[in-house]
Amino acid sequence: MSHPRHDPGARPPGPENLVSAARTAGVTDERLLGALRVTPRSAFVPASCRASAYADVPVAIDHGQVTTQPSLVAMMVAALGLTGDECVLEIGSGYGFQTALLARLAGYVVGVERYADMAEQARTHLAGQGIRNAEIVVGDGTLGAADRGPFDAIMVSAAFPEVPPPLAAQLRAGGRLVQPIGPGGQERVELYEKTDRGLACRRTVALAHFVRLYGEYGYPPTAPFHDTG
C-alpha cells in the first residue's frame, strides 16, 4: 500500500493562506492584506478549531454562532475604504478577529457584542495581540453605540432585511456602512453611503449566508444583555 509523501520542508498553514484567499476574492488593498498577514486567526478561534484557523472557512463559536469566512470579512472591510483615522462601529464582534483587522486599519473601533462571555473572550484576544485602539461593549447591536458616535464607518456582521435606523443615524455624512441584507441564511452584503437624504445603496459586495441580527430594531431577542466586563 502506498502512502502520500510528507514534505518536511512544507510550511504549515498560516496567515498567508488567508491573504491568498482574500486576493482571489478580489481584495487589492495592500494595507488590508498586510493586516491579514500580521493578525493570527489562530489566536481568535476556540482551541478545538485552531487546526482549521487558516482555512478560508467559517468557524463555529459559542451560542450557535459562526465566524464569517475570512475572505468575506476582507471583502466587507475593503468596502469600507478605511484610510487610517476613522472611528468604526462593529456590530457582532464574536471572538475579535474582525475587530483586530478593523483596529489595524482605523483610528478606533467600538465593537458591540450580544453575548457577554464572547465579549470577554474578544477583549482577552485583542489584549493578547497588543491592540489597544478597540473596545468591546455588550448590548443590543441594533441600537449601535450613540454615546461613542458618530462613526465614519459601520460594519454589521448579522442579517436583517433593512439597516436599523439607529445605525443609520450614527453614521457621519459621507460615511460607509456594510450589512448583510436578508432574513438570515441567504443575503446580499450591501454597501451604503450616508448622504444628505439618508443611506444610499452603492453596490452589492457579495452574496453570502449570515446568522440573524437580533435586537430592538432586528429580530426579537431571546435573552437579555448582561455584561461581565
Side-chain angles (χ1 to χ4, degrees):
M1 179 182 296
S2 62
H3 297 279
R5 293 182 179 179
H6 173 65
D7 180 0
R11 293 183 178 179
E16 202 62 41
N17 295 61
L18 302 185
V19 173
S20 296
R23 287 190 189 277
T24 299
V27 174
T28 59
D29 183 339
E30 289 298 330
R31 289 182 67 241
L32 173 52
L33 296 172
L36 273 172
R37 188 171 284 116
V38 299
T39 306
R41 192 184 184 212
S42 58
F44 292 89
V45 299
S48 59
C49 299
R50 285 176 186 157
S52 58
Y54 297 108
D56 186 33
V57 296
V59 169
I61 54 178
D62 294 339
H63 303 288
Q65 307 292 297
V66 294
T67 66
T68 305
Q69 182 178 348
S71 61
L72 180 55
V73 170
M75 293 171 69
M76 293 171 70
V77 173
L80 293 176
L82 301 175
T83 60
D85 59 356
E86 296 88 354
C87 185
V88 179
L89 175 64
E90 176 196 38
I91 307 303
S93 299
Y95 273 26
F97 177 69
Q98 179 177 277
T99 318
L101 293 178
L102 291 168
R104 294 190 190 282
L105 298 168
Y108 197 76
V109 180
V110 178
V112 182
E113 172 52 52
R114 174 175 172 75
Y115 297 103
D117 56 341
M118 285 209 291
E120 189 58 34
Q121 288 273 10
R123 293 171 186 139
T124 299
H125 296 159
L126 292 166
Q129 294 299 309
I131 293 173
R132 297 180 175 84
N133 63 326
E135 65 174 308
I136 308 295
V137 299
V138 176
D140 180 346
T142 70
L143 298 178
D147 60 332
R148 291 166 172 81
F151 298 95
D152 302 297
I154 299 177
M155 186 162 172
V156 185
S157 299
F160 193 64
E162 63 184 23
V163 176
L167 301 187
Q170 291 168 36
L171 188 63
R172 289 185 191 277
R176 293 183 169 194
L177 180 149
V178 174
Q179 178 181 317
I181 299 297
Q186 187 172 2
E187 280 69 55
R188 303 181 319 278
V189 179
E190 303 283 25
L191 169 65
Y192 295 88
E193 184 177 353
K194 182 74 169 283
T195 72
D196 56 2
R197 296 185 178 182
L199 289 183
C201 187
R202 295 308 189 199
R203 67 181 175 91
T204 298
V205 176
L207 302 178
H209 303 282
F210 278 82
V211 297
R212 286 183 163 189
L213 178 65
Y214 291 97
E216 184 175 339
Y217 291 90
Y219 290 101
T222 56
F225 304 102
H226 295 294
D227 192 358
T228 59

